[in-house]
Amino acid sequence: MTLAETRSRFLRANPLTRFAHGVAALRGWRRAALGFGLGAVSVLGFAPFHLWPLLFLTFPCFIWLVDGIAASAKRKIRQAALAGWWFGFGFFGAGLYWIGFAFFVEAEKFAWLVPLAVAALPACLALFYALATAAAMSLWRPGVSRIFIFAAALFAAEWLRGHVLTGFPWNLWGYAMAGNDALAQTASIFGIYGLTLFALLIFASPAALIGPVARGGRANWRLPALCLALVAAGWVWGVWRLSGATDAVQPGVQLRIVQASIPQAEKWKPENRQWIFDRLVRLSNEATPGAAGKVTHLIWPETSVPFLFMLNDTIASEEARVAFANLIAEGTSMIVGAERIEGTLRPDGRYNVDRVFNSLFTLDSDARVLGIYDKLHLVPFGEYVPFEATLAAVGIKQLTHLNTGFASGVSRRLMTAPGAPPFSPLICYEAIFPGRINGEDGRPGWLLNLTNDAWFGNSTGPYQHLHQTRLRAIEEGLPLIRAANTGISAVIDAYGRTAATLPLGAIGTIEHALPAALSPTPYARWGERWLIVVAFLIFILYRIVIVVE
């Protein structure tokens, strides 16, 4: 029997193999449509769905798609780049659709930019995946080697995505695997980038069972078996780690987190200032049912104050200072997100606005400002416009209510609030950047994320944001407190467990003790240097499985 006859007979006998070869045989728009669909379906592996086992199907299917290019395409690298772009366009399009909601907050100004947000941004981010598949195709080999090549190339693209042009590490593939609480504990060792490298190899490993082989016509079962063993080992270790978790808290610290749920479209209208402030004050004075102990720290979300809070070095108005002094009880500190302006006094007694900051303030019971943190990592197009002079000429400007964008802070440093350990402030999406926790003055005792996800309505965006923020607690072994204007506010302990939460859109407060910190985790000690260990472990896997080819 000839080799061709053997192959034909095998294809008839094995439906899964027939399916894989059918995927590889796709051409033209069918290949593009499948790539787009695989990327879009892969989003279900992330919050709020956490259907991450689906990636054991979507990743192998994509590899079989690339196998077809390697076997038949004349312009292999170009075709591979195109397939990778379609996969990325589907993934980022389905994963980031909610960004378009922000442009409807002031629809009369920004609705025309919705296509740019929901199509152009995913199209640009997909270029990272086009680069990855093009690079992989230049090294593509039959057999299990192609899976290692694919994982390495896509990981390089993910690392670049998280660092190039200020970085946008949203929905890194490791977050899908971290949807399981036990598996998420591995982030305390390897961090999200290390977990991403493992995840890419593990999810792609079933492609070793079907597809072109290096020689001998045998499928390689060792890689998926070893990858499943890795998943099992990570899960067992995570269960063991969580079994030792306690509900220990920081003595003498009782937090009250306010979630006023102010619609973004109403927030900055002058006629709404009073009722918004009144709601915040009312919630701040209401005890949470079942809570015990005196509140020591009152926390408001990002830019929660509906008016200018600070001008230069002082609270902007005496009326505001008195209102906060009346609000903050004796022995209580307040942490609040608000805007700060640096301005120059004009001869007419008014001020020129020089710079505006998205800031976090700590106040004592007399409303004295004890500390200020200015947000370092600003959101492109949301808080500032890159190449502002050029883009402003075509009508593109930041989404803030200001006539100018925010200015970036100078440095990250720890903040203090009397009666609590020093904390690391993370405003909005600063919390998605791993390893940027410690201040210039050392390790914090907890993490505080003030955010305003009201821009994105009732979409998957706030759930994705919360899930990624939660990983910072696991990586660092530190509790994380989250105050979000419209939700999801939460108290998360140092193991990433949610101790208390307020759902998206709810109006209310969380009153809870501050969970205790753990000793520095391996990731907290060594950071991204763990990637060297991960790469070495994957090389050992490669040497083990390659012998059957």
Side-chain angles (χ1 to χ4, degrees):
M1 184 179 294
T2 67
L3 180 60
E5 291 171 335
T6 302
R7 180 174 178 273
S8 178
R9 184 175 180 180
F10 180 65
L11 288 176
R12 289 195 301 272
N14 192 316
L16 187 57
T17 304
R18 286 204 306 272
F19 172 76
H21 281 269
V23 169
L26 293 176
R27 301 289 183 271
W29 69 267
R30 292 178 177 83
R31 177 189 289 159
L34 181 61
F36 178 88
L38 291 172
V41 169
S42 295
V43 173
L44 295 175
F46 295 83
F49 312 104
H50 296 300
L51 301 177
W52 57 272
L54 275 175
L55 302 183
F56 285 108
L57 173 63
T58 59
F59 272 50
C61 281
F62 184 68
I63 288 178
W64 295 330
L65 205 66
V66 178
D67 283 337
I69 296 170
S72 60
K74 293 182 179 180
R75 299 176 178 177
K76 292 181 173 60
I77 293 179
R78 178 180 174 182
Q79 291 299 318
L82 192 59
W85 184 87
W86 278 110
F87 179 85
F89 189 52
F91 176 67
F92 292 115
L96 299 174
Y97 76 91
W98 45 266
I99 289 178
F101 286 33
F103 293 83
F104 287 107
V105 170
E106 295 184 81
E108 69 282 2
K109 294 182 181 179
F110 299 111
W112 68 276
L113 288 170
V114 170
L116 190 65
V118 301
L121 178 60
C124 291
L125 292 173
L127 293 174
F128 287 101
Y129 288 9
L131 178 64
T133 48
M137 180 55 64
S138 68
L139 302 170
W140 205 258
R141 293 172 54 192
V144 72
S145 298
R146 76 199 200 284
I147 298 172
F148 285 89
I149 291 168
F150 169 81
L154 197 56
F155 171 76
E158 291 291 78
W159 191 90
L160 287 172
R161 177 164 69 91
H163 293 80
V164 170
L165 298 177
T166 78
F168 188 63
W170 194 276
N171 279 354
L172 297 172
W173 293 101
Y175 287 118
M177 187 163 286
N180 177 277
D181 288 347
L183 289 175
Q185 300 306 307
T186 57
S188 67
I189 301 176
F190 303 114
I192 191 58
Y193 280 110
L195 195 54
T196 293
L197 183 51
F198 273 130
L200 289 169
L201 182 67
I202 289 168
F203 291 140
S205 64
L209 298 173
I210 299 169
V213 293
R215 57 178 178 270
R218 293 183 296 171
N220 191 319
W221 56 266
R222 291 193 181 187
L223 179 59
L226 287 170
C227 284
L228 285 177
L230 276 178
V231 173
W235 181 81
V236 169
W237 182 81
V239 169
W240 172 81
R241 186 172 192 260
L242 288 173
S243 70
T246 68
D247 296 326
V249 298
Q250 178 71 33
V253 180
Q254 186 77 3
L255 311 173
R256 180 176 290 165
I257 303 164
V258 174
Q259 181 173 301
S261 201
I262 307 298
Q264 191 62 34
E266 302 298 323
K267 185 172 182 179
W268 295 110
K269 294 178 179 179
E271 64 270 23
N272 292 339
R273 289 173 181 168
Q274 191 60 53
W275 73 259
I276 290 173
F277 189 74
D278 289 346
R279 179 184 290 184
L280 287 160
V281 170
R282 175 177 58 80
L283 291 170
S284 300
N285 288 323
E286 288 181 357
T288 304
K294 178 181 180 298
V295 172
T296 59
H297 295 81
L298 178 63
I299 303 174
W300 284 10
E302 176 191 16
T303 58
S304 51
V305 179
F307 46 79
L308 173 63
F309 180 72
M310 176 165 279
L311 175 61
N312 293 331
D313 297 325
T314 59
I315 293 177
S317 73
E318 179 63 17
E319 182 182 2
R321 192 200 66 77
V322 171
F324 278 98
N326 291 335
L327 169 65
I328 307 170
E330 187 68 30
T332 300
S333 302
M334 185 173 186
I335 304 170
V336 57
E339 292 179 354
R340 181 175 77 87
I341 283 180
E342 290 182 352
T344 305
L345 184 64
R346 301 190 322 200
D348 62 2
R350 301 170 66 185
Y351 279 86
N352 287 324
V353 176
D354 298 325
R355 294 193 299 175
V356 184
F357 297 91
N358 184 353
S359 303
L360 176 153
F361 303 87
T362 55
L363 310 175
D364 67 8
S365 57
D366 294 322
R368 288 178 298 205
V369 177
L370 304 178
I372 303 171
Y373 167 74
D374 298 321
K375 185 178 179 182
L376 279 174
H377 206 130
L378 302 175
V379 180
F381 299 101
E383 295 176 311
Y384 79 101
V385 176
F387 315 109
E388 183 174 7
T390 302
L391 294 178
V394 295
I396 297 177
K397 64 177 185 176
Q398 71 284 337
L399 294 177
T400 65
H401 67 102
L402 305 164
N403 293 324
T404 182
F406 285 110
S408 176
V410 176
S411 63
R412 179 170 302 285
R413 58 189 180 82
L414 301 188
M415 298 285 289
T416 58
F423 65 91
S424 182
L426 301 167
I427 298 178
C428 189
Y429 97 141
E430 286 185 318
I432 74 170
F433 292 89
R436 304 183 188 181
I437 301 301
N438 292 343
E440 295 176 345
D441 37 2
R443 173 178 166 84
W446 53 297
L447 310 176
L448 177 60
N449 177 216
L450 303 188
T451 190
N452 176 25
D453 291 349
W455 292 96
F456 311 116
N458 187 14
S459 68
T460 58
Y463 295 94
Q464 293 173 4
H465 194 187
L466 172 65
H467 179 58
Q468 293 172 71
T469 301
R470 168 178 169 260
L471 262 287
R472 304 292 83 79
I474 299 173
E475 287 173 340
E476 302 291 339
L478 294 172
L480 185 142
I481 307 304
R482 190 169 197 260
N485 172 28
T486 55
I488 307 165
S489 299
V491 175
I492 297 169
D493 75 6
Y495 295 92
R497 301 178 302 171
T498 301
T501 185
L502 273 174
L504 189 63
I507 299 174
T509 61
I510 296 174
E511 195 164 321
H512 202 279
L514 175 66
L518 301 176
S519 299
T521 62
Y523 178 80
R525 292 190 182 99
W526 298 99
E528 302 305 338
R529 282 172 285 188
W530 275 103
L531 282 173
I532 299 173
V533 177
V534 175
F536 178 74
L537 291 174
I538 289 178
F539 176 75
I540 295 299
L541 275 180
Y542 175 77
R543 297 305 303 171
I544 292 172
V545 301
I546 200 68
V547 296
V548 301
E549 296 199 329

